[in-house]
Amino acid sequence: MPVIVMHDNMSKSIFASVVPKKGRDPYAVKRVGADLRWLGYRRIVFKTDQENSITALKRRVSQEKMNEIRESLEREVHGEMVMEESPAYESQSNGRIENAVKRWQGQLRTMLDALIAKYGYHVEKDHPCLPWLVRYASTVLNRYHVMDDGKTAYY
């Protein structure tokens, strides 16, 4: 079950979604686009690794975003999407996303363990609640993460 995890450097938000397959899947494009719209930035630097399926998804999301921007020109809303790829075999350039993925995985594991402890129910990989739980784990991290100023990041 493929999962797309995104991290925003400015807000420190993490987004995670189960997708049917890697690459330019329409649902994956829709989810990534919706998460980018939720952030509300006019300028987006979309950085990924060089994996073919992720690069194809990034290009498709960029096309969708540019179409959205063209349609919104009548409303005087402008935007820009800059495409970047991290250098091959350069793990330092991916440190923030790798950290975000680890935090998200830990939250997901904690929530799954809590289900087992409280209800004695083990969620199988094909259970219908799992896609919701994947997204909710990132929502919990975004809503209750304590920032450097001692406040939570909830908007």
Side-chain angles (χ1 to χ4, degrees):
M1 175 173 44
V3 175
I4 290 180
V5 179
M6 295 189 327
H7 177 256
D8 174 38
N9 288 339
M10 290 189 56
S11 69
K12 309 296 185 232
S13 296
I14 298 172
F15 301 93
S17 299
V18 172
V19 294
K21 61 183 179 180
K22 293 171 113 181
R24 293 173 42 158
D25 178 74
Y27 180 74
V29 172
K30 179 182 172 184
R31 279 282 14 118
V32 170
D35 292 338
L36 291 174
R37 271 191 302 285
W38 183 86
L39 288 167
Y41 299 133
R42 289 180 180 229
R43 183 173 191 271
I44 298 169
V45 177
F46 202 171
K47 185 175 182 179
T48 62
D49 61 16
Q50 296 179 359
E51 183 181 346
N52 290 336
S53 61
I54 295 297
T55 304
L57 173 63
K58 180 173 68 171
R59 271 191 243 113
R60 184 67 187 138
V61 168
S62 176
Q63 290 169 352
E64 294 279 327
K65 190 74 175 163
M66 290 303 114
N67 290 339
E68 185 180 302
I69 289 168
R70 277 188 214 101
E71 291 171 7
S72 67
L73 284 176
E74 297 166 4
R75 298 186 311 254
E76 297 184 20
V77 176
H78 304 281
E80 174 188 15
M81 183 176 284
V82 178
M83 308 304 258
E84 282 188 14
E85 291 179 7
S86 58
Y89 310 108
E90 185 97 16
S91 62
Q92 277 187 329
S93 64
N94 294 327
R96 288 184 180 147
I97 185 64
E98 288 177 11
N99 184 309
V101 169
K102 285 180 185 178
R103 287 182 30 232
W104 166 78
Q105 286 174 332
Q107 183 66 38
L108 182 63
R109 272 194 304 275
T110 299
M111 294 170 80
L112 286 169
D113 287 347
L115 273 173
I116 294 168
K118 185 162 184 153
Y119 300 109
Y121 184 77
H122 182 73
V123 178
E124 298 296 327
K125 290 183 179 185
D126 61 346
H127 194 282
C129 84
L130 200 53
W132 173 83
L133 196 58
V134 163
R135 285 191 53 78
Y136 190 63
S138 65
T139 300
V140 167
L141 286 173
N142 295 338
R143 185 168 287 178
Y144 300 110
H145 177 72
V146 179
M147 304 298 273
D148 294 337
D149 62 3
K151 298 179 181 177
T152 57
Y154 185 69
Y155 304 95

